[in-house]
Structure formats: C-alpha cells, structure tokens
Amino acid sequence: MRQYSVDLTPPWKKPKPVPEVPADPGLVVEEPGSGFCGAVIRCEAGTVTLEDRHGKHRVFPLQPRGFLLEGRAVTLVRPSSGPVRPARTASGSVAVPDARARVARAGRIYVEGRHDAELVEKVWGDDLRVEGVVVEYLGGVDDLPAIVAEFAPGPDARLGVLVDHLVPGTKEWRIAQSVNSEHALVVGHPYIDVWEAVKPAAVGIPAWPAVPRGQDWKTGVCRALGWPENTGAVWQAILARVRSYKDLEPELLGRVEELIDFVTTPT
C-alpha cells in the first residue's frame, strides 16, 4: 500500500520563503548565529568563507536562511559558473564590467602626499580609470600657486586639488583661496593628516590620539598607540585595513567625489 505524508503544520507557522542570493565575492553578509559579519572571499561546495574588516576569516555552511543581507534573511547559493565581479567598486559606484581604462584626460587631480594618492587609488581607482582621471601628489601646498599657474587650467583641462587640514584661517586655506577659479577647484578635509580620515574602527583603535602641537603628527600617533615609528610601514598596515568607502570618514568621501565630478563634468 502506498504511504502518504501529510504536513499538519498550520500555514501561519511555516517559515516564509526567503530569496536565494549568489555568494559573489565582495558580498557583505552576517551569520546570525555568531554575529560574524564579513565579505565573501570564497565559495566552495557546501561552504562560504567570509572576511571581516579586521582580516579575520570564518567558514560557514551554506544552509537555508543561513545569513542576513542588510538585516534580512537570505539563502546563499554558489555563484553561476564563469568570472564573477562585484556589483560595486570600492567607492560604492556601480561597477562597469570589462571596462577599459579611458585615455587620460588633460584635467588632473592633485593631492598633498603619497599616502593621500594611495588611499584615493585604493578606493576610487576603478572609477578614475573609467573616467580617465590621473591623480598626482604635490608633496605639500606651499608652492601650489606656482604649480597651478604652470598647469594653466582651462575648459578642457580642469584641475582639482585635495588639501589636508583645510579649515578657515589656516595657511592652507589662504593658499586655496588664492588659486580657486572657474577651472581650478581646491577642496579639503579638516584632518591634520589623511591617516585620520580612516575610521578608527577600521584599524582597531577607539580613536585617533591627540598629538601635541609642534610634534610630528604621524610619529606622535605611533608613540601614543605603541606602534613602530616606521610611519611608512604603519601606513601600509592602515591602508590594508581600508576595504571600501565605508572605512573612510564622510568629510573625505564628499571632497573626493566633488573633485571627480569637477574634472569630468564639461563646462
């Protein structure tokens, strides 16, 4: 005799179906049982590997309703075959699949130092290549008026400049005011150094320490936190913790986006 099974669970007690989401690299999800939140870095048969903002890896089974995506339960599934690319760049922009770097524009973005340039490249590099924008560093802003005059900004060659510690009344602010024009734009963030534009949580500290005036800021930070006083090596460690725009302060994010818009928008 044929046996039949009957589900006697009332409809209102049955779990509602949840969407299936491909575990594409870069997708950020949370495993609710452990509270571990991280980005997908690998998906193999039956498991997914997540990496949190501190670089720690955890492997979890692919189970129904096993993860939270933006606070909602989802079922992660293996991505379809073929190359998989994140849907968004590190800056949060929509990624352009197979986009080739555009021929460099005549316009440029200048930043104060090498660390600034490396941070901009890490977060906005994909966007800048698509737009054909080159970023160069100045090594300081004392000679900015002469540099801008030599560049000779115009309608087809706009110049954007990002300055550290740009607050009213400072030397940097006075220099910026002297070179701003229709085709040259100087903007800045309030931080003494671009290190401070990285959110403390991203590097595992409660806050950036206060450094007495007259002391080199980077060296003072390293001493206060017990870090080696090799500021170049420390910066590389900080930069490695920056994964996307979410690890940066809004005061920097807005200014970089403003400069990209300025040099790429036709007059």
Side-chain angles (χ1 to χ4, degrees):
M1 180 180 297
R2 180 177 297 178
Q3 299 293 321
Y4 295 92
S5 63
V6 179
D7 185 1
L8 299 179
T9 304
W12 59 88
K13 289 189 177 181
K14 292 181 180 180
K16 295 181 179 179
V18 299
E20 292 187 348
V21 178
D24 293 334
L27 180 73
V28 177
V29 294
E30 177 183 350
E31 199 283 317
S34 63
F36 189 89
C37 182
V40 174
I41 61 171
R42 188 181 306 110
C43 185
E44 300 171 329
T47 65
V48 61
T49 303
L50 305 182
E51 180 184 40
D52 71 5
R53 65 170 58 248
H54 303 298
K56 183 178 181 181
H57 292 185
R58 290 280 298 274
V59 179
F60 297 99
L62 291 176
Q63 296 179 340
R65 307 174 63 91
F67 298 88
L68 299 178
L69 176 61
E70 298 180 350
R72 297 184 178 182
V74 296
T75 298
L76 290 187
V77 296
R78 293 190 67 185
S80 57
S81 59
V84 179
R85 298 177 176 84
R88 294 189 177 274
T89 66
S91 72
S93 301
V94 176
V96 181
D98 301 318
R100 294 184 178 181
R102 177 174 174 169
V103 175
R105 296 174 182 264
R108 291 287 188 275
I109 292 178
Y110 288 168
V111 297
E112 276 206 55
R114 182 169 59 85
H115 293 182
D116 306 68
E118 290 175 344
L119 183 61
V120 170
E121 161 61 27
K122 181 156 190 182
V123 176
W124 288 274
D126 290 339
D127 303 357
L128 294 168
R129 280 182 283 278
V130 169
E131 295 290 351
V133 177
V134 175
V135 175
E136 301 177 11
Y137 65 89
L138 300 167
V141 298
D142 290 348
D143 297 326
L144 185 58
I147 293 171
V148 173
E150 182 179 359
F151 184 87
D156 297 322
R158 285 180 153 193
L159 177 63
V161 183
L162 179 68
V163 177
D164 297 339
H165 199 227
L166 189 62
V167 295
T170 61
K171 175 190 70 174
E172 293 82 0
W173 183 81
R174 290 190 292 272
I175 292 174
Q177 294 301 304
S178 71
V179 301
N180 274 328
S181 68
E182 181 182 2
H183 304 302
L185 175 65
V186 181
V187 300
H189 55 76
Y191 306 113
I192 295 174
D193 190 274
V194 77
W195 287 21
E196 204 175 5
V198 178
K199 291 181 178 179
V203 294
I205 59 176
W208 291 103
V211 177
R213 291 183 65 118
Q215 183 178 354
D216 177 72
W217 190 85
K218 292 187 180 77
T219 302
V221 165
C222 292
R223 289 174 180 169
L225 295 173
W227 292 348
E229 293 185 24
N230 182 340
T231 57
V234 170
W235 166 245
Q236 291 305 315
I238 294 171
L239 187 63
R241 295 294 188 91
V242 176
R243 298 181 51 190
S244 75
Y245 72 98
K246 297 179 181 179
D247 296 319
L248 303 181
E249 299 289 358
E251 289 83 355
L252 176 66
L253 295 173
R255 301 295 74 75
V256 175
E257 296 286 351
E258 184 178 358
L259 289 180
I260 294 175
D261 290 344
F262 179 78
V263 299
T264 59
T265 302
T267 55

